[in-house]
Structures are given as C-alpha cells and as structure tokens.
Amino acid sequence: AGSDEASHEDSENDDDDDESDDNNDDEYDDDDADSEEYETDDEEESSKLIQTKTLLFLCQEGQIRLARQRLQLLQTENNLDKLQKEIFQMGHDKNYPLHEVVMGGTLENSSKTIVPELLEIGKQWKGPFLVMLNAQPPSYGRTALHWAAWANASLEITRSLVMANPEALILKDKKSHGSRTPLEIFKRYHVKGNVKKV
C-alpha cells in the first residue's frame, strides 16, 4: 500500500491492455480438466489463508473476498477480543484494514460489503473506532474517507464512511499531497468540466 497512487496510475494504464487480454481468452477455454484441479487447490489455499492470516494481511494483499470471510469467521468464533484486535490492527505504515480496502479500490462486490460490515462491527468500540476513522497514516495523511474519494468509491461506501464520522469531511491530507479534503480529492480526480448544482 506504500505506492498507492502509483498503483492507481498503473491500473489506469492497464486499461490499454484490456483489448489484448480479450484476444487471448480463447486460449484458456479448453483447459477444463486443469482448471477444475486448480479451483480445488485454490479453495484449499483460500481456506488455509482465512484460518491463518489476519484481516489486515488479507486486506493488504487485496484478498478482500477472503478478508470478508475472515471477518465472518471471527464473528462466529465469538471472541470479541480477537475480533477487536484484528479490526483495529495497524500495519507498519499505520493503515488499518479499512484503509487498505478503500485505497485498493471498491469495485469488487466484497469491498462494497466489507466496508459497512467493518463499520457496523467496529462501532461497538467507540474509542478505537473514532481513532481508526480519523487516522491519517503518515505516508499520505489520508483518512479512509479520503481514500474512498480518491478511489471513486460507490455512494453506499462513501455515505457509510461519512455517516460514521462526518468530521473526516474537513480533514486535509498531507501538504505534500495537496492538503486536500476528501471532496477536493474527488473533484480533482473524478469531476470533469463544470458541475451543476443539484
């Protein structure tokens, strides 16, 4: 997650490669036997990751579907201390799992689901919850709401972050990254031309 803006720019450049990927799809359609074996191995590996890796690790690796399954597992274990520890765990870069999900992009269905789940579960621990929502890790100084704006997150995700912590609307990211509020970031990266007031 250290090179978040660079990876976002790389993903924009990857759009050019989509056409060549479409042309190669036929090469892989005939390997049914291999793909069934791969899916079984993948399921076993996924199950192992869900059991052994933390929520933070899975989010950092972009394994949001598995992170969501890990969150569900933690809830069924009924161990509130472990659940709290994983939701509010910070990486070496001071990002929480919530930051990792929204900075990685939220187009995947699992992302659209895990953000409201993290917020709903996390709010039972009011102190750490507000700390997480106001956290501005040193690399960019951006809250989860800043990252949602930068990633052009869905209205549902953005609304859930705003409702959980409206104070984040006025926080600015680091001066070296523009000293912008989440709305200013959204306007800079996602609004083209004049915007009419609704």
Side-chain angles (χ1 to χ4, degrees):
S3 60
D4 302 308
E5 286 190 344
S7 66
H8 178 68
E9 290 171 7
D10 289 344
S11 68
E12 288 175 356
N13 293 336
D14 288 344
D15 291 343
D16 298 336
D17 296 332
D18 287 345
E19 287 180 26
S20 62
D21 290 344
D22 291 342
N23 295 335
N24 294 328
D25 286 344
D26 294 337
E27 292 177 30
Y28 303 103
D29 290 342
D30 296 329
D31 296 334
D32 291 336
D34 292 338
S35 69
E36 284 179 26
E37 183 178 73
Y38 177 76
E39 286 175 18
T40 303
D41 291 344
D42 191 39
E43 287 174 22
E44 291 172 10
E45 181 65 22
S46 294
S47 179
K48 183 179 176 185
L49 290 171
I50 293 163
Q51 295 289 329
T52 61
K53 298 299 181 182
T54 65
L55 188 60
L56 178 65
F57 175 86
L58 294 170
C59 292
Q60 287 172 327
E61 294 298 311
Q63 298 292 328
I64 307 306
R65 181 182 60 80
L66 299 182
R68 184 164 182 260
Q69 291 175 11
R70 172 74 181 169
L71 184 59
Q72 291 169 340
L73 174 67
L74 292 169
Q75 288 178 278
T76 60
E77 288 178 352
N78 223 8
N79 182 339
L80 289 178
D81 290 338
K82 189 174 182 182
L83 180 61
Q84 179 184 16
K85 181 180 178 182
E86 288 207 27
I87 288 175
F88 300 115
Q89 181 183 6
M90 287 188 290
H92 68 280
D93 54 5
K94 306 294 185 208
N95 286 329
Y96 291 84
L98 179 64
H99 284 83
E100 295 290 344
V101 171
V102 293
M103 77 172 53
T106 56
L107 297 177
E108 185 182 325
N109 283 336
S110 296
S111 299
K112 294 175 185 174
T113 309
I114 197 171
V115 171
E117 288 174 346
L118 286 169
L119 295 173
E120 183 62 31
I121 297 165
K123 73 180 181 183
Q124 65 186 303
W125 298 286
K126 190 173 183 176
F129 182 65
L130 290 175
V131 168
M132 175 181 70
L133 292 174
N134 285 312
Q136 293 179 269
S139 58
Y140 292 90
R142 292 180 177 163
T143 66
L145 183 58
H146 282 89
W147 285 114
W150 181 77
N152 198 14
S154 71
L155 182 58
E156 294 82 9
I157 288 176
T158 305
R159 180 181 290 134
S160 64
L161 288 167
V162 170
M163 296 301 289
N165 186 35
E167 290 80 16
L169 286 166
I170 61 170
L171 297 176
K172 295 185 176 213
D173 64 1
K174 285 178 82 168
K175 188 174 183 177
S176 60
H177 291 285
S179 190
R180 296 184 186 98
T181 65
L183 182 58
E184 290 168 333
I185 288 174
F186 179 80
K187 286 179 180 177
R188 174 170 171 79
Y189 292 105
H190 304 293
V191 176
K192 307 290 185 224
N194 293 329
V195 178
K196 295 181 181 178
K197 292 183 180 179
V198 179

